[in-house]
Amino acid sequence: MTLRIHNTLSREKEAFKPLQEGKVGMYVCGPTVYDLAHIGNARPVVVFDVLYRLLKNIYGEGNVKYVRNITDVDDKINAKAQETGEDIAAITERTTKIFHADMAALGTLPPDEEPRATQHIKEMIALTETLIDKGHAYKKEGHVLFSVTEWDDYGKLSGNSRDEIIAGARVEVAPYKKDDADFVLWKPSEAGLPGWDTPWGRCRPGWHLECSAMSKKHLGEKFDIHGGGQDLIFPHHENEIAQSRCAHSTDLMAKYWMHNGYLMAEGEKMSKSLGNFYTVHDLLKEFPGEAIRLALLKTHYRQPLDFTKDGIAEAKRELDRFYTALRIAGDIEPGSAKLPEEVLIELEDDLNTPAALARMHDITSDLNNASSDDEKAKFKGNLLGAGHVLGLLQQDPEDWFKGETQEGDLIPAVIEALIAERNEARANKDFDRSDEMRDQLAADGIVLEDSADGTTWKRS
């Protein structure tokens, strides 16, 4: 089977064929680093991490280049600095560091390149100069703007007509625009705000311009896949296409455009006033990152997702099942940990992670029912191979069940000491004391599992 992905540009599921045979370039819009990433920000990071892993599985390590940017100059960052009094550089460095740690906790791989907007000002100036020279941009009242009326293909990604674009609330009407649909490439920047010396004065770049400049530098004028959330289709990605194609005189910017669906929380739009605004950083204090990741993957990436804490708890129970099967398989060396064909087929069908997870449950049943060591080795390898591409089952089962110690939890050394004391009571046939200690540990969230090989434990 061939990888097929839904292309927002054509509105169809298409067979994937790289522009350069055997090589893949992918650009995904990254965070604007002004605050902690919420779970809606995390969804595209996890989705495109799975796609990155799948592409590497198909085309081989070293043949896939994944670029995800950091937006470190933006009006939201400026507003945060004014609100808090914190230095802009301190805000962006702190939030970038937390973003990296939080995404790593969700099991995501770092991109091959992570360009920062502030490191690509020269490229943004050059792209703007080209657009002006070709008649696609103009300067007025200190601003540099892209002229939408000079390009006939504007609106094809989003499917919006010019009238629909103007009627939309996301278009700023301003006296310095020749046409209301024109968008800003550069804006004047007063003292106290980030700004750079440009041919048009002291300015700061527009958000759309940043991604066009960074993707061109790291992937070229044309590349294979551009990804992001559905909310970015218009105006951000529409504007990227316009300025990039006009500057480079190309028939496309990215060949395939992929967008994940919207996210709600507890049945409603996320809102701090409703108490359902979940940052990844806070969720990681309550749940394992792997369970959060699985909760995001249980819904197809293009579908809307209602993210709930009950959903994370259910995802953790599913992971318990996977890890229990691996734990029972014990010291049996896994067979080839390649992605099994039945899981590959599902993932090659537009990244169908819910179906891929269903196949993983089938493999788990096969592992649990295996009667020989050879069968156990085969199915253990299949389960680990599937988990690798989905970014799951990367831990030792014992580490998974013991989990990370939270504030107030019993530490492993204390648990092991209590188990040793209980084992001594059992050896002395003091079963009342043994049962008392089991109940005591259960009250502290520790579940004991007795077997012929001894006693193991996990956090409930």
Side-chain angles (χ1 to χ4, degrees):
M1 186 174 174
T2 302
L3 173 62
R4 294 176 62 81
I5 56 179
H6 185 273
N7 189 350
T8 306
L9 190 59
S10 67
R11 291 161 182 77
E12 293 180 350
K13 196 185 293 187
E14 301 178 10
F16 177 72
K17 185 177 180 181
L19 294 169
Q20 181 183 351
E21 187 174 355
K23 300 282 186 180
V24 182
M26 177 171 72
Y27 185 93
V28 176
C29 290
T32 300
V33 285
Y34 71 99
D35 208 342
L36 299 177
H38 57 67
I39 196 64
N41 303 137
R43 191 182 190 190
V45 179
V46 170
V47 164
F48 290 103
D49 179 70
V50 174
L51 180 60
Y52 179 42
R53 290 168 181 267
L54 178 63
L55 290 168
K56 290 202 295 181
N57 183 272
I58 296 171
Y59 292 95
E61 294 282 345
N63 292 323
V64 182
K65 188 175 183 180
Y66 174 25
V67 181
R68 187 184 68 218
N69 73 293
I70 294 286
T71 297
D72 58 353
V73 54
D74 186 87
D75 287 348
K76 291 179 181 177
I77 301 172
N78 300 340
K80 191 73 172 182
Q82 291 176 343
E83 174 191 340
T84 64
E86 187 177 3
D87 180 72
I88 286 175
I91 291 173
T92 59
E93 286 305 309
R94 174 176 54 80
T95 52
T96 299
K97 183 177 180 180
I98 295 172
F99 173 79
H100 286 156
D102 288 348
M103 296 308 110
L106 298 186
T108 65
L109 301 172
D112 297 298
E113 300 282 351
E114 192 177 52
R116 298 189 180 212
T118 53
Q119 298 170 350
H120 293 74
I121 299 298
K122 179 179 69 174
E123 289 80 7
M124 296 179 208
I125 291 173
L127 192 150
T128 305
E129 288 177 327
T130 299
L131 287 171
I132 291 174
D133 290 344
K134 292 185 174 183
H136 292 291
Y138 60 93
K139 178 184 177 183
K140 191 170 183 183
E141 295 183 21
H143 294 74
V144 183
L145 299 109
F146 181 90
S147 181
V148 167
T149 56
E150 296 298 322
W151 194 56
D152 293 338
D153 281 353
Y154 192 78
K156 286 193 173 179
L157 179 71
S158 60
N160 291 327
S161 68
R162 182 191 172 282
D163 289 343
E164 288 170 331
I165 290 168
I166 299 305
R170 303 183 74 177
V171 172
E172 178 191 9
V173 177
Y176 49 77
K177 292 184 177 184
K178 291 182 180 179
D179 187 278
D180 287 339
D182 294 350
F183 59 88
V184 171
L185 302 174
W186 292 88
K187 62 182 73 175
S189 199
E190 59 269 26
L193 291 178
W196 289 264
D197 292 330
T198 75
W200 315 286
R202 186 176 186 278
C203 300
R204 62 186 187 274
W207 175 34
H208 318 305
L209 179 67
E210 296 171 7
C211 284
S212 282
M214 288 185 281
S215 63
K216 191 265 182 181
K217 179 173 181 179
H218 295 282
L219 292 173
E221 294 178 357
K222 297 181 181 182
F223 53 94
D224 297 299
I225 300 171
H226 196 315
Q230 187 177 339
D231 58 312
L232 300 184
I233 295 174
F234 184 84
H236 185 49
H237 288 168
E238 191 80 76
N239 292 352
E240 279 188 60
I241 292 173
Q243 61 203 6
S244 292
R245 283 189 55 194
C246 288
H248 308 316
S249 300
T250 54
D251 59 337
L252 58 84
M253 177 191 182
K255 187 176 179 181
Y256 305 91
W257 290 80
M258 297 180 68
H259 296 92
N260 62 270
Y262 292 113
L263 182 142
M264 300 174 67
E266 310 294 349
E268 300 185 83
K269 185 176 180 179
M270 277 202 303
S271 166
K272 291 180 180 178
S273 63
L274 293 174
N276 66 343
F277 187 89
Y278 298 147
T279 69
V280 176
H281 202 67
D282 287 339
L283 286 171
L284 287 169
K285 297 173 183 176
E286 295 184 58
F287 302 99
E290 194 170 344
I292 298 170
R293 180 187 182 95
L294 178 54
L296 291 170
L297 294 178
K298 288 176 64 177
T299 298
H300 190 277
Y301 80 93
R302 285 196 293 112
Q303 299 303 313
L305 168 62
D306 183 13
F307 187 86
T308 67
K309 288 190 174 183
D310 285 346
I312 310 176
E314 174 59 30
K316 183 182 180 302
R317 287 191 287 272
E318 291 186 39
L319 287 165
D320 285 346
R321 180 172 186 261
F322 293 142
Y323 276 114
T324 296
L326 293 172
R327 185 191 222 181
I328 292 171
D331 295 332
I332 293 175
E333 279 297 313
S336 174
K338 292 175 61 178
L339 178 63
E341 185 70 20
E342 63 266 36
V343 179
L344 174 62
I345 288 170
E346 304 294 3
L347 292 176
E348 284 190 326
D349 182 17
D350 194 28
L351 212 63
N352 192 341
T353 55
L357 290 165
R359 301 291 79 75
M360 282 184 67
H361 280 288
D362 293 341
I363 295 168
T364 302
S365 295
D366 290 336
L367 177 56
N368 288 333
N369 295 326
S371 57
S372 70
D373 286 354
D374 285 346
E375 283 187 329
K376 289 179 181 178
K378 173 188 173 181
F379 294 126
K380 184 176 182 180
N382 286 351
L383 187 57
L384 291 172
H388 176 74
V389 174
L390 286 163
L392 302 171
L393 309 183
Q394 305 297 291
Q395 301 181 52
D396 180 274
E398 295 304 323
D399 292 337
W400 166 257
F401 284 117
K402 291 175 182 178
E404 294 184 6
T405 303
Q406 306 292 334
E407 185 177 353
D409 286 347
L410 292 178
I411 63 173
V414 171
I415 297 168
E416 298 288 355
L418 290 171
I419 290 173
E421 184 179 340
R422 175 176 175 268
N423 287 341
E424 184 178 354
R426 294 177 74 197
N428 294 331
K429 302 188 183 302
D430 187 355
F431 297 115
D432 288 341
R433 176 58 178 157
S434 170
D435 291 344
E436 180 185 335
M437 295 194 69
R438 174 187 281 275
D439 294 342
Q440 176 187 335
L441 285 163
D444 286 318
I446 306 302
V447 178
L448 302 185
E449 295 178 351
D450 295 319
S451 72
D453 297 323
T455 301
T456 59
W457 63 272
K458 63 183 181 182
R459 298 190 191 276
S460 60

